[in-house]
Amino acid sequence: MVFLTAYHSCIAQICLWWFATVVFQSSEISGSPLMHATSSHWLPATATWYGSPEGDGSDGGACGYGSLVDVKPFRARVGAVSPILFKGGEGCGACYKVKCLDKSICSRRAVTVIITDECPGGYCSGGKTHFDLSGAAFGRMAVAGDHNQLRDRGVLNIAYRRTPCKYPGRNIAFHVNEGSTNYWLSLLVEFEGGDGDVGSMHIREAKSTEWLKMSHVWGANWVIVRGPLRGPFSVKLTTLSKGRTLSARDVIPSNWAVKATYTSRLNFSP
């Protein structure tokens, strides 16, 4: 009995040491790596397109990404969604695979789109699940050579599912919005991999251990009203869909500038 007690005590100490080691090494990104914002189940929805036939869709949009929607990796992959997926702006940055269901003109290929805008009326009203895609993304669902014919169909029945966002070679970045001061600091989240969405954000001042909660303003923009705030700032964000957390230490320097973008060394795994 003494031997068994000592054995179990030893095992418990080893497990405790292993657990502490894992937690310490994962201090900047938490949440199970197996918990992705993805689904194997295709759900029904409808889709339309807007802008020019081969265009990138919106210029800016309700998420606040501005000119980012016109360049890669966003370019031609943007989409506006109905309020049920937009979620008051907290759905910004989420990625979906969409495919049309008419086998006579649609390919089997699914197109990946990034949510950058909201379509609140028309087909998007009444609690419906609807995607208003860029002309380029919409056309890519067609079989080769039938892009224009597919766009002429108007409204399509489609299937969609959530998929992890992938930004190869890029890490999460924080853009300091115009009007920010030491008393009103607003940040836009860019290139968030994995879940793509943001459920909460906190900021930590220089030489402080306290995480200060930021408020969601609109789209992918968050703000803290307090001051005077002193950098450098660490930023912690938690995803909306899976609750994964990432902390970017001292990502915004003490001499930060309005309209500047500061890139972290981290990103969520896809």
Side-chain angles (χ1 to χ4, degrees):
M1 294 294 292
V2 174
F3 172 78
L4 289 177
T5 301
Y7 173 80
H8 288 300
S9 176
C10 180
I11 292 297
Q13 290 178 14
I14 292 173
C15 290
L16 182 61
W17 169 83
W18 175 85
F19 177 78
T21 302
V22 171
V23 170
F24 176 78
Q25 292 177 345
S26 304
S27 61
E28 291 191 333
I29 302 179
S30 65
S32 170
L34 300 179
M35 295 173 61
H36 299 317
T38 185
S39 172
S40 58
H41 301 291
W42 292 91
L43 302 173
T46 52
T48 50
W49 64 279
Y50 68 113
S52 59
E54 294 292 342
D56 303 330
S58 62
D59 181 12
C63 290
Y65 295 127
S67 59
L68 284 180
V69 302
D70 299 323
V71 296
K72 291 182 178 181
F74 285 87
R75 186 176 183 182
R77 299 175 61 202
V78 307
V81 289
S82 52
I84 196 170
L85 294 181
F86 189 70
K87 302 174 184 176
E90 290 186 339
C92 288
C95 297
Y96 292 88
K97 285 187 179 295
V98 297
K99 61 181 179 180
C100 59
L101 303 177
D102 187 344
K103 295 181 180 179
S104 67
I105 195 171
C106 300
S107 71
R108 296 181 180 180
R109 179 179 62 251
V111 176
T112 300
V113 295
I114 305 164
I115 302 311
T116 65
D117 206 352
E118 179 184 24
C119 58
Y123 294 109
C124 294
S125 61
K128 300 174 184 176
T129 304
H130 185 84
F131 289 79
D132 200 15
L133 306 176
S134 68
F138 192 91
R140 285 178 183 170
M141 293 188 291
V143 296
D146 285 344
H147 304 98
N148 290 328
Q149 291 88 330
L150 183 63
R151 283 188 283 263
D152 289 341
R153 294 288 180 91
V155 184
L156 290 179
N157 290 318
I158 67 165
Y160 77 98
R161 66 178 175 87
R162 190 73 178 271
T163 190
C165 296
K166 299 177 182 178
Y167 300 111
R170 291 182 180 270
N171 289 326
I172 295 177
F174 302 95
H175 177 80
V176 180
N177 290 320
E178 186 174 3
S180 290
T181 68
N182 290 330
Y183 293 85
W184 188 92
L185 180 60
S186 177
L187 303 177
L188 169 72
V189 183
E190 301 175 351
F191 307 122
E192 179 194 338
D195 295 352
D197 52 22
V198 180
S200 66
M201 277 183 61
H202 294 75
I203 195 168
R204 188 175 66 193
E205 298 179 85
K207 299 180 181 180
S208 174
T209 59
E210 181 184 6
W211 285 104
L212 307 173
K213 186 175 182 180
M214 302 187 76
S215 300
H216 180 231
V217 188
W218 63 279
N221 298 277
W222 296 73
V223 69
I224 182 169
V225 182
R226 185 181 174 123
L229 296 166
R230 294 180 175 85
F233 302 112
S234 299
V235 181
K236 178 172 67 175
L237 62 85
T238 303
T239 66
L240 177 68
S241 52
K242 295 296 181 182
R244 302 179 72 197
T245 297
L246 177 148
S247 301
R249 298 174 181 173
D250 298 334
V251 62
I252 300 175
S254 56
N255 60 340
W256 59 270
V258 174
K259 297 184 181 181
T261 300
Y262 301 99
T263 303
S264 73
R265 299 186 297 273
L266 304 169
N267 210 332
F268 291 109
S269 57

